[in-house]
Amino acid sequence: MPIPLPKSLTEANTNGQNGNAANGGNVDERAFAGQQAEKVLPAAKEASNDFIKGETNAFIQSIKEAQQLGERKQDTMVDAAVLAKLEEGYAKLAASDSKSLLKKYLTKEVFDNLKNKVTPTFKSTLLDVIQSGLENHDSGVGIYAPDAEAYTVFADLFDPIIEDYHGGFKKTDKHPASTFGDVSTFGNVDPTNEYVISTRVRCGRSMQGYPFNPCLTEAQYKEMEGKVSSTLSGLEGELKGKFYPLTGMEKAVQQQLIDDHFLFKEGDRFLQAANACRFWPSGRGIYHNDAKTFLVWCNEEDHLRIISMQQGGDLGQIYKRLVTAVNEIEKRVPFSHDDRLGFLTFCPTNLGTTIRASVHIKVPKLASNKAKLEEVAAKYNLQVRGTRGEHTEAEGGVYDISNKRRMGLTEFEAVKEMYDGITELIKLEKSL
C-alpha cells in the first residue's frame, strides 16, 4: 500500500516535473524543486510515521478482536466430556421404554440442534436441562431449566413439552396477566367432611435477579435465605409466624416439623440428578404461621413455595389466605416473571400461574375403578397422585388430586378447574 504524501510535497513534485518537461529541466528549476522538497520532507516523514502507526494499531486491534472472538467461542463451546455424556445418555434413552415427555420430544434432529448450545450468562448446557430425565427413565417429564435463559436457548425442546403438559399452550401463545379473581367465589367442596381429608393451595415463585438451583452459589443461597426470613418476619395477622433455618436446626424443632409434615427433605433422585440440592442445607428454611395453616419453603425446588392449607374442604378460605400472602410478599420481594411464560420456575410444569390446588380425598369406590377415576380427572384437567404425592402409591384409597394446567389460564381459572373436578368426583363416588 503506497504511503500518502502531503499536498505540498505532491505539488512541489508536480511543479518540478512540469518545469522539466517545458524547459528541459534547467539548474535553477532543479534547485527550486530541491528547496521545496527540503521544506516538505519533515511533513512527509511525519505522515509516513502516522500511517505506519495507524496500520500497526489496526493490526493490534485485529489481534485483540480475534482473541476476544476466540474467548467468546470458547465460552459457547460445550466441553467434550459433556458432549460424550449427552451422546451416551441420549442413546440409552432412545433405546428405553421410557414414557417421559423428554423421550417423546427429544428427537435426533432436536438433540443434534441443541447439544452444542449454552445459555449466555450461566453457560448451562443441554445436559443441565435433561440429565434428570437421562438418569431417571421413569420420569413423567424429565427436564428442568437451570436458568431462565434456558427456556429460550433450548426452546425447541421446552416448547413442545410445555404445549403437551399444559393442555395446548403453543409457542405462539402468551400467558394471561395474573388474576386471582373473586376469592369469595369458592366454598367448601365437601361440607359434610365425608371425602376430603385436607385441602392445599400452593404457588411457586422465583426471586428476581437470581438463577435457579443448579447455578446458585452457596453465598447466593444464604443471601436469599436472609431476604426471605426478614420479609416473612414482617407479616402480620393470620400470617404472623416464625422462620426456621434448616442449618443448625434444633432436634426438638426438627421433630416437631416432621410430626406436622412440614419439614421438606433433601430432594428426591429426580431433583438430585438435576443438581437442585447443592450446598444442602445452606440457604434452606421453613416458615409457618402460628395456626400452622400457612407455610413457606425457602430454596427447596423453587426459591419460594408459598402454601395455604388446612383440614377439610374449605377451598374458599384456603385460597383467600394464599392470595393475601402472595400479595404481601410481593410488596417486599420482586418475583421473576416472563411476558409469555408467566411466573418462571425451575420445572416447566409449574410455569405460568404456578398454582397447584389439591385435596387429599378418600374415594374407595372410584379407587377400585382406577380407569373411571382417570377418565373423570382427564375431563377436568386433574392430576391424580398417590397419598404422599408424585411417585407414590395411594394408601387406603386416599389420593392427592390437583389441577394439572398452570399455563394459558388465570390463577382463578386454574383453581376453578380443581374445584369443579373434585365436586364431580364426589358426586360420582356418591352414586356408585
Side-chain angles (χ1 to χ4, degrees):
M1 183 183 292
I3 299 174
L5 297 174
K7 184 179 179 183
S8 56
L9 182 57
T10 306
E11 289 173 345
N13 191 41
T14 303
N15 288 338
Q17 289 171 351
N18 291 342
N20 288 338
N23 302 313
N26 61 44
V27 176
D28 288 341
E29 289 171 338
R30 289 197 299 273
F32 174 76
Q35 290 170 358
Q36 293 301 311
E38 287 176 1
K39 290 179 181 179
V40 298
L41 274 176
K45 185 177 181 181
E46 184 178 350
S48 175
N49 289 339
D50 288 344
F51 176 78
I52 293 170
K53 184 178 180 182
E55 289 293 298
T56 302
N57 287 341
F59 179 66
I60 293 172
Q61 182 62 30
S62 68
I63 292 175
K64 287 182 178 179
E65 288 174 356
Q67 288 174 334
Q68 289 170 354
L69 181 62
E71 289 168 1
R72 285 197 298 271
K73 186 176 180 181
Q74 189 171 2
D75 280 346
T76 58
M77 286 176 62
V78 176
D79 184 83
V82 171
L83 279 174
K85 194 170 182 180
L86 273 169
E87 295 284 359
E88 180 185 3
Y90 176 75
K92 289 181 179 178
L93 179 68
S96 76
D97 60 355
S98 174
K99 301 297 189 294
S100 70
L101 294 182
L102 171 64
K103 184 185 177 184
K104 183 177 180 180
Y105 293 105
L106 188 64
T107 64
K108 188 67 168 70
E109 182 183 358
V110 171
F111 177 77
D112 287 339
N113 183 44
L114 298 181
K115 67 183 181 182
N116 287 299
K117 292 188 176 183
V118 298
T119 59
T121 304
F122 296 99
K123 314 305 176 193
S124 299
T125 68
L126 179 62
L127 183 61
D128 295 312
V129 173
I130 69 174
Q131 60 188 337
S132 182
L134 293 183
E135 291 183 27
N136 299 286
H137 291 175
D138 57 339
S139 296
V141 179
I143 65 170
Y144 293 93
D147 59 65
E149 294 168 340
Y151 283 114
T152 302
V153 173
F154 302 104
D156 288 349
L157 179 59
F158 274 108
D159 285 347
I161 287 178
I162 288 170
E163 181 176 348
D164 189 311
Y165 185 89
H166 291 282
F169 186 87
K170 298 178 174 59
K171 62 182 179 181
T172 53
D173 290 341
K174 185 176 179 181
H175 186 74
S178 179
T179 305
F180 287 104
D182 183 357
V183 295
S184 64
T185 301
F186 304 114
N188 193 321
V189 293
D190 181 27
T192 59
N193 293 321
E194 292 180 59
Y195 305 99
V196 176
I197 299 167
S198 63
T199 305
R200 186 177 89 151
V201 184
R202 62 89 165 152
C203 67
R205 289 291 186 270
S206 299
M207 296 170 65
Q208 211 173 77
Y210 294 93
F212 303 142
N213 277 318
C215 299
L216 284 169
T217 65
E218 187 170 13
Q220 285 175 319
Y221 270 118
K222 291 178 178 178
E223 182 179 87
M224 292 166 72
E225 181 191 13
K227 288 182 179 181
V228 171
S229 177
S230 62
T231 294
L232 297 177
S233 66
L235 297 178
E236 298 292 340
E238 184 187 15
L239 303 177
K240 184 179 175 61
K242 185 177 179 180
F243 185 84
Y244 302 90
L246 262 62
T247 303
M249 182 178 286
E250 295 177 6
K251 289 293 182 184
V253 173
Q254 184 181 46
Q255 189 57 50
Q256 185 60 56
L257 290 171
I258 290 172
D259 292 343
D260 291 331
H261 304 289
F262 287 175
L263 187 66
F264 60 85
K265 300 176 182 178
E266 190 170 352
D268 58 25
R269 58 189 169 91
F270 301 92
L271 291 173
Q272 290 274 5
N275 273 334
C277 309
R278 298 161 72 237
F279 312 113
W280 195 277
S282 285
R284 278 78 172 186
I286 297 171
Y287 175 94
H288 69 72
N289 66 345
D290 297 336
K292 298 182 179 180
T293 56
F294 170 64
L295 186 69
V296 178
W297 288 351
C298 176
N299 285 325
E300 182 243 5
E301 178 178 324
D302 287 311
H303 296 168
L304 292 174
R305 280 286 174 91
I306 305 169
I307 305 163
S308 177
M309 61 191 179
Q310 66 190 51
Q311 297 298 303
D314 195 344
L315 178 62
Q317 187 177 8
I318 294 162
Y319 182 59
K320 180 179 179 181
R321 184 186 303 119
L322 179 89
V323 173
T324 302
V326 170
N327 289 334
E328 284 299 314
I329 295 171
E330 192 169 18
K331 290 176 184 176
R332 302 166 171 85
V333 177
F335 297 143
S336 185
H337 186 275
D338 179 81
D339 286 342
R340 189 178 84 82
L341 299 175
F343 290 104
L344 297 177
T345 54
F346 180 45
C347 181
T349 64
N350 290 321
L351 289 167
T353 64
T354 78
I355 286 278
R356 182 175 186 268
S358 64
V359 294
H360 268 161
I361 186 170
K362 190 170 186 177
V363 283
K365 294 175 183 177
L366 277 172
S368 64
N369 187 353
K370 189 74 182 296
K372 186 64 177 177
L373 175 61
E374 293 286 0
E375 179 189 328
V376 176
K379 179 182 176 181
Y380 289 92
N381 296 306
L382 300 181
Q383 183 177 39
V384 180
R385 296 179 176 181
T387 308
R388 301 185 185 278
E390 197 171 14
H391 311 301
T392 66
E393 297 298 322
E395 299 170 6
V398 176
Y399 289 93
D400 178 329
I401 302 180
S402 64
N403 64 298
K404 183 179 180 183
R405 294 199 306 151
R406 318 206 204 291
M407 296 189 76
L409 71 175
T410 66
E411 288 83 354
F412 178 83
E413 291 167 341
V415 175
K416 192 173 189 307
E417 283 195 338
M418 186 277 262
Y419 181 81
D420 292 342
I422 295 301
T423 301
E424 181 64 24
L425 282 175
I426 291 175
K427 181 180 175 182
L428 185 59
E429 178 71 13
K430 286 180 177 179
S431 71
L432 294 175

